[in-house]
Amino acid sequence: MKPRSRAGQAAVWQARLIMLVMINIAQLWILAATVDAALAGHYSVLLPLVIASGVCFAITLSIIKWWRPTSRKKTSTGYIR
Amino acid sequence: MTKNLSDESDVQAATAPYQAEFPYERDEEAQVTRREFCNFLGLTSAALFAGAAGFAGKAAIDARESVSLPVAHIAVAETLTPNSSLNFSYPTDRDSAILIRTADGAYHAYGQKCTHLSCPVYYSRAEQRLECPCHEGAFDAATGAVLYGPPPRALDRIEVETRDGQIWATGRNGG
């Protein structure tokens, strides 16, 4: 695969950051909805909300662990540019 | 070429000689790499997930706790004048409730938690209804039904009986 340019790598990093921030905002909303539902006694919606938050967390982990610029090579001592 | 990122470049010179042996690069320390920020967002995501799961778990456990409903005497309720209210606890000391004697002399009792976000409701003598001060919800004093505002359902109703001139709480029903 052709190595991505420095500008391209920066764009990928930027995209990762934007996605992570958006997911964090969504999780914040889910937490607020969970508190709302719990205090109002709407117990039926609690499980779907927790699952949604878990899915968001899983996506966050996948972005951090696996979505990396393709030109970065992994060595025994870590990633190099 | 050195780049001065802050106006605190004289801090090191102004503070202490130990900084010559243990230099602290304030400007470099202030930099956050993308990777560090990504990791921070990951931790934030984990914390938000844990918070949602913890809150939902506690609410679910609390909802499953079966509380036996004793028959309890509501002290000094007999002396309540019409169009006034009295706070008491039922069925446990942690469950605050409100007893209302309406203008027609009838007794009605409700759990004091608003069904919107659990703020304590109070009896408005002027309006003769229960009101929630947090988000301006209101409930009918005689039935506990929602009159207006954000509450999604009626107040929890506490059954009351008059025995030998005394007022007793005998049970509690969800609104």
Side-chain angles (χ1 to χ4, degrees):
Chain A
M1 185 181 289
K2 184 182 175 184
R4 202 180 293 272
S5 68
R6 182 167 279 278
Q9 287 186 36
V12 172
W13 274 104
Q14 207 70 17
R16 292 176 72 199
L17 279 177
I18 290 167
M19 280 192 286
L20 289 173
V21 168
M22 286 168 59
I23 290 170
N24 267 224
I25 291 169
Q27 276 191 292
L28 203 57
W29 181 87
I30 290 170
L31 179 62
T34 306
V35 173
D36 254 24
L39 290 177
H42 292 162
Y43 301 115
S44 60
V45 300
L46 290 179
L47 185 60
L49 285 168
V50 172
I51 290 172
S53 188
V55 169
C56 287
F57 178 52
I59 295 170
T60 299
L61 273 186
S62 74
I63 290 173
I64 290 175
K65 291 286 178 189
W66 295 299
W67 293 16
R68 293 178 179 278
T70 52
S71 63
R72 290 166 65 82
K73 293 177 181 174
K74 191 178 184 183
T75 68
S76 59
T77 56
Y79 285 95
I80 57 170
R81 289 184 185 279
Chain B
M1 179 178 137
T2 57
K3 189 177 178 184
N4 191 9
L5 293 176
S6 76
D7 58 357
E8 297 175 333
S9 56
D10 59 337
V11 169
Q12 288 187 5
T15 47
Y18 72 84
Q19 287 186 330
E21 297 171 3
F22 188 74
Y24 176 77
E25 299 296 337
R26 182 177 293 262
D27 287 331
E28 286 182 16
E29 289 292 321
Q31 300 300 310
V32 178
T33 64
R34 287 196 190 99
R35 186 178 301 181
E36 286 169 345
F37 191 54
C38 276
N39 291 338
F40 171 75
L41 290 174
L43 286 174
T44 307
S45 176
L48 290 170
F49 172 54
F55 211 96
K58 187 182 181 311
I61 289 169
D62 288 349
R64 284 188 183 180
E65 276 182 1
S66 60
V67 177
S68 59
L69 299 174
V71 177
H73 174 231
I74 305 173
V76 302
E78 310 80 47
T79 60
L80 204 59
T81 56
N83 195 28
S84 60
S85 66
L86 172 75
N87 286 353
F88 66 105
S89 297
Y90 184 83
T92 69
D93 288 341
R94 292 189 309 166
D95 300 307
S96 60
I98 185 167
L99 176 73
I100 298 161
R101 190 171 188 192
T102 48
D104 60 2
Y107 289 96
H108 304 278
Y110 305 98
Q112 207 181 1
K113 284 183 181 175
C114 177
T115 53
H116 178 218
L117 289 176
S118 299
C119 288
V121 296
Y122 69 93
Y123 180 64
S124 167
R125 298 179 69 170
E127 305 292 339
Q128 298 188 14
R129 66 188 176 208
L130 289 151
E131 295 183 353
C132 176
C134 293
H135 302 101
E136 298 184 354
F139 302 88
D140 188 284
T143 63
V146 180
L147 295 175
Y148 61 82
R153 59 188 168 81
L155 290 171
D156 290 353
R157 189 179 184 87
I158 294 171
E159 304 298 332
V160 290
E161 289 180 12
T162 305
R163 298 177 182 174
D164 301 327
Q166 295 183 323
I167 309 301
W168 293 75
T170 58
R172 181 169 176 148
N173 302 314

